[in-house]
Amino acid sequence: MTTAPVRLSSWPTPLDPAPRLAAALGLAPDDLWVKRDDLTSFAGGNKVRKLEHLVGEAEAAGATVLVTSGGVQSNHARMTAAAAAVRGLRAVLVLSGEPDPARPGNLALEELFGARVVVVPPGADVDARVAAVADELRAAGEVPAVLPLGGSTATGARGYLACAAELSEQLPDLRTVVAAVGSGGTMAGLVAGLGAERVLGVDTGAVPDPAERVTTLATALGATPGRLDLRRDQVGPGYGALTEAGATAMTTAARTEGLVLEPVYTAKALAGLTAAVADGTIRPGHRTVFLHSGGLPGLFGHPHAARLAGDLLARS
């Protein structure tokens, strides 16, 4: 039985024209639009759409605490902490990475939102630690709800069915929406709502099998996705590693439209859009939307990314 979502942000998010960015990429000025999911609640980002459904499901099951996992600068973890605060729940975040006493970026916000943060070293079994934390909470009389990495289940992906409906109303002649692909739920919801032929996903290297994950999730939403349009040429050295193409995308977006991208997802997504225009996959005259999935706080946890983008700016 599908549970009702809770409301965690204001909808629809804006769809803004991006004529200067379009021109910089080689498109006509009215070809490119930006879906501003960076303007959602909790310091912005796409995860709030998923959390509306996941938290609704958790509350229906009587949860008192939300438990989730991610990297130390996980946007999903930050937004889970905020959602828990809004709904009167507790949050425990199991994050993989090196401890940082300065607690930059998302870590600072997670503390502000009142979450308990458990940092495990790189390579540790995060799922096992999450299970152990959930067991500890149950033993203490809590009712934990374990939310998946990135919020990407069929329940979470329903949030991007809603986004697909917004886009269909805001831009009926939309040809292609371009989105970063991490754990797969965002692309899956868009594919289920718009059709695979209208969605270009750009793999960020978060999971080894993004096509399989997206297909599985979209199928669970009732779609028959068929062949996915998924670029895997922007991963670079791996997940979380900013590429030169990504750094160029960051400076281009900032200098043309005042858009702030972050290195893990949106920089690679715009680099993928740039490559798609260069190779003719997306051509002038195609009405295209770039999904800005947020993540600004994470930029402050990746100072090397800002420096690399700055170096490129200085050379241009």
Side-chain angles (χ1 to χ4, degrees):
M1 179 178 175
T2 300
T3 55
V6 298
R7 188 174 178 86
L8 296 175
S9 193
S10 298
W11 312 110
T13 54
L15 184 70
D16 292 341
R20 285 175 47 78
L21 179 57
L25 299 185
L27 297 172
D30 62 348
D31 285 343
L32 184 62
W33 298 70
V34 181
K35 181 61 169 166
R36 299 298 304 271
D37 275 15
D38 60 316
L39 299 181
T40 59
S41 298
F42 313 149
N46 63 326
K47 303 300 184 182
V48 72
R49 290 188 186 270
K50 302 175 184 181
L51 284 165
E52 288 195 330
H53 295 270
L54 292 166
V55 173
E57 185 176 69
E59 289 186 0
T64 60
V65 56
L66 306 179
V67 182
T68 198
S69 59
V72 290
Q73 288 298 327
S74 167
N75 296 307
H76 167 67
R78 177 246 305 167
M79 299 190 91
T80 297
V86 166
R87 301 299 295 182
L89 304 171
R90 294 179 56 219
V92 181
L93 314 174
V94 180
L95 306 180
S96 175
E98 299 293 344
D100 188 335
R103 298 185 65 77
N106 282 318
L107 289 169
L109 291 177
E110 289 155 5
E111 182 174 340
L112 188 65
F113 293 138
R116 173 188 163 202
V117 177
V118 178
V119 178
V120 299
D125 190 335
V126 174
D127 290 341
R129 189 60 183 274
V130 167
V133 165
D135 287 342
E136 292 167 8
L137 290 166
R138 291 188 193 96
E142 299 275 8
V143 181
V146 176
L147 308 188
L149 178 74
S152 289
T153 63
T155 296
R158 284 167 53 204
Y160 271 85
L161 278 172
C163 183
E166 289 176 19
L167 287 169
S168 294
E169 285 196 14
Q170 291 171 320
L171 201 66
D173 59 346
L174 163 67
R175 175 72 172 265
T176 304
V177 56
V178 180
V181 178
S183 50
T186 297
M187 184 177 181
L190 292 172
V191 165
L194 296 172
E197 71 281 358
R198 299 172 74 191
V199 183
L200 171 60
V202 182
D203 182 24
T204 62
V207 296
D209 57 347
E212 180 180 344
R213 289 179 68 102
V214 171
T215 298
T216 299
L217 291 169
T219 301
L221 291 173
T224 305
R227 181 183 176 278
L228 299 177
D229 195 357
L230 180 63
R231 295 191 77 103
R232 305 199 68 184
D233 59 347
Q234 300 300 319
V235 174
Y239 178 68
L242 180 64
T243 62
E244 185 163 325
T248 299
M250 289 174 68
T251 58
T252 301
R255 295 177 71 185
T256 57
E257 301 291 348
L259 293 172
V260 180
L261 307 183
E262 48 71 51
V264 180
Y265 297 103
T266 49
K268 289 184 176 180
L270 186 58
L273 170 56
T274 303
V277 174
D279 66 20
T281 302
I282 292 176
R283 298 189 295 274
H286 290 183
R287 195 60 64 89
T288 301
V289 168
F290 175 72
L291 175 68
H292 192 332
S293 53
L296 171 61
L299 176 61
F300 301 106
H302 296 275
H304 66 282
R307 286 196 298 270
L308 177 54
D311 289 345
L312 287 172
L313 176 62
R315 297 203 303 264
S316 62

